[in-house]
C-alpha cells in the first residue's frame, strides 16, 4: 500500500514538473533553448548533404536554421494566436501554405544561384518542381505542426486552469455573499424592521418585502449564471442599499447609471463585493455610499465612494477585507482589460474600476 502511494506521489510530481516546464514563464528561456538546440542539431551540427561542397553545405545549414526559427516563432506568436486560436482555421492553413510556397521558391532560387558549387548532379527541387513542391510542403507542414501542437496544448492547459480558478472564485464569491448578506442576522434584522413597519408604515413595509424578495431571487437564480445584464446588477445593488438604509441610522446612498450604451452582459455579482465592503466599513458618524456606472462603447467605468475613518489601521482593514478575491476574479475574467484604483484619504474611501467588455 505504501509503495503504491509513493508511486502515485511520484507520478503527480512528474506531472507538475512537466506542467511547470510547459506553462511557467520562469522556464520560458529553457523551453526556447531546448527547441533551438533540437533544430541546431538537425540543421547545423548534422547538416544535410545538398550536393554542394562541404563549406557551402555548412553555411546553407546555418541559413536554414535561422530561417526555420524565424518561421517557427512567427507561427507561434503571430499565426497561432491571431488566426488559429480565434477560430480562423482556413485563414491559418492558407497562411501556412503561402509561407511554404514562398520558402520553396527561395530554395529553388538559391539552388540556381549556387549551381556552380554543386558536386552532385542528382535531380534538384528546381528541376522537378511539382514533385519537389509536394514533398517540401509535406515536410514543412509536419515541422510546423510540431510547434503548433505545442502552442495549442499550452493554450488549452492555461485556459483550463483559468476556468477552474474562475469557477472556484465564483463559488467562493457566491458563498461569501450568501454568508455575509443573507445570513440569519441580516434576515432577522430585515424581518424585524418589516414587522415594525407593518404597524407604523405599511406601504414602506410592503416595499421592503418586495426588495428583499428581489434580492434573494437574484442571488439564488441570477448569481449562478455565466453572464447577466448590467441593469440586473444595478437593480440588485439598489435593493441591497435600500435595505441597508433602513437598518442603519442616517444612512444615505446614491446609485446612478449613465452613458450612451443602454446595457451589456457581464459576469454576475462583480460589483457587490465593493459595495458590501463599503457598507460594512462605513463611518457611522457620516454614513453614505455613492455608486456610479458609466457605460459607453463597451467600456464600463464603475466607482464606489463611502465615508471612511481617519484611523490608519481601519483604512488598511477596509482595503484588505473582501477585496482580494475580487481582484483575482478580475484578473482571470478581464486579463489586460481592466484597471482598479483603490484610494483612501480625507475620510473618503474610493474605488474606481474600468472594464473593457
Amino acid at each position: 500500500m505504501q509503495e503504491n502511494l509513493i508511486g502515485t506521489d511520484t507520478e503527480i510530481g512528474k506531472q507538475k514538473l512537466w506542467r511547470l516546464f510547459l506553462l511557467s514563464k520562469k522556464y520560458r528561456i529553457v523551453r526556447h533553448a531546448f527547441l533551438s538546440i533540437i533544430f541546431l542539431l538537425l540543421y547545423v551540427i548534422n547538416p544535410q548533404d545538398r550536393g554542394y561542397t562541404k563549406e557551402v553545405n555548412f553555411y546553407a545549414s546555418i541559413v536554414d536554421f535561422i530561417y526555420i526559427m524565424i518561421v517557427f516563432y512567427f507561427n507561434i506568436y503571430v499565426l497561432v494566436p491571431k488566426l488559429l486560436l480565434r477560430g480562423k482555421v482556413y485563414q491559418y492553413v492558407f497562411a501556412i501554405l503561402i509561407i511554404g510556397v514562398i520558402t520553396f521558391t527561395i530554395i529553388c532560387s538559391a539552388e540556381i544561384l549556387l549551381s556552380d558549387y554543386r558536386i552532385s548532379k542528382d535531380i534538384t527541387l528546381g528541376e522537378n518542381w511539382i514533385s519537389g513542391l509536394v514533398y517540401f510542403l509535406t515536410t514543412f507542414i509536419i515541422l510546423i505542426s510540431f510547434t503548433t501542437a505545442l502552442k495549442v496544448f499550452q493554450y488549452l492547459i492555461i485556459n483550463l486552469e483559468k476556468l477552474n480558478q474562475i469557477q472556484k472564485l465564483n463559488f467562493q464569491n457566491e458563498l461569501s455573499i450568501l454568508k455575509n448578506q443573507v445570513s440569519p442576522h441580516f434576515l432577522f434584522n430585515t424581518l424585524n424592521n418589516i414587522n415594525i413597519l407593518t404597524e407604523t408604515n405599511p406601504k414602506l413595509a410592503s416595499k421592503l418585502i418586495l426588495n428583499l424578495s428581489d434580492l434573494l431571487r437574484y442571488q439564488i437564480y441570477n448569481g449562478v449564471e455565466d453572464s447577466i445584464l448590467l441593469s440586473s446588477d444595478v437593480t440588485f445593488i439598489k435593493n441591497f442599499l435600500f435595505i441597508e438604509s433602513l437598518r442603519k441610522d442616517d444612512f444615505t446612498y446614491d446609485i446612478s447609471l449613465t452613458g450612451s450604451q443602454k446595457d451589456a452582459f457581464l459576469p454576475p455579482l462583480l460589483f457587490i463585493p465593493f459595495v458590501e465592503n463599503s457598507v460594512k466599513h462605513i463611518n457611522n458618524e457620516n454614513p453614505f455610499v455613492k455608486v456610479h456606472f458609466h457605460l459607453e462603447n463597451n467600456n464600463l467605468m464603475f466607482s464606489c465612494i463611502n465615508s471612511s475613518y481617519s484611523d490608519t489601521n481601519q483604512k488598511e482593514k477596509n482595503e484588505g477585507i473582501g477585496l482580494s478575491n475580487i481582484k483575482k476574479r478580475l484578473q482571470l475574467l478581464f486579463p489586460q482589460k481592466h484597471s482598479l484604483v483603490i484610494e483612501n484619504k480625507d475620510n473618503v474611501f474610493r474605488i474606481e474600476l474600468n472594464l473593457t467588455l
Side-chain angles (χ1 to χ4, degrees), residues 14-26:
K14 289 179 179 179
Q15 290 176 2
K16 288 182 178 180
L17 286 174
W18 274 107
R19 185 178 297 175
L20 281 172
F21 179 74
L22 289 173
L23 305 179
S24 176
K25 292 181 180 180
K26 181 180 178 181

Side-chain angles (χ1 to χ4, degrees), residues 251-264:
F251 175 73
T252 60
Y253 69 92
D254 179 70
I255 181 168
S256 58
L257 174 60
T258 60
S260 59
Q261 192 172 344
K262 293 182 179 180
D263 221 333

Side-chain angles (χ1 to χ4, degrees), residues 50-86:
R50 295 172 172 82
Y52 300 105
T53 62
K54 186 175 291 187
E55 185 178 3
V56 172
N57 274 336
F58 176 75
Y59 287 115
S61 297
I62 294 176
V63 172
D64 279 354
F65 169 74
I66 295 172
Y67 181 82
I68 202 68
M69 293 305 294
I70 291 173
V71 171
F72 280 176
Y73 279 108
F74 181 73
N75 176 55
I76 289 174
Y77 290 106
V78 178
L79 296 182
V80 173
K82 298 291 183 182
L83 297 178
L84 187 61
L85 296 181
R86 294 186 179 182

Side-chain angles (χ1 to χ4, degrees), residues 247-292:
R247 296 177 60 206
K248 296 179 180 290
D249 295 333
D250 301 323
F251 175 73
T252 60
Y253 69 92
D254 179 70
I255 181 168
S256 58
L257 174 60
T258 60
S260 59
Q261 192 172 344
K262 293 182 179 180
D263 221 333
F265 281 97
L266 40 72
L269 304 171
L270 196 61
F271 309 102
I272 190 63
F274 296 120
V275 180
E276 188 267 344
N277 185 76
S278 295
V279 173
K280 189 174 182 179
H281 302 288
I282 204 169
N283 186 338
N284 292 322
E285 295 178 1
N286 181 28
F288 73 87
V289 172
K290 294 181 180 180
V291 179
H292 178 65

Side-chain angles (χ1 to χ4, degrees), residues 120-136:
S120 174
K121 301 301 180 181
D122 296 337
I123 297 174
T124 64
L125 291 175
E127 292 171 352
N128 191 1
W129 68 272
I130 296 178
S131 60
L133 178 62
V134 173
Y135 172 78
F136 176 79

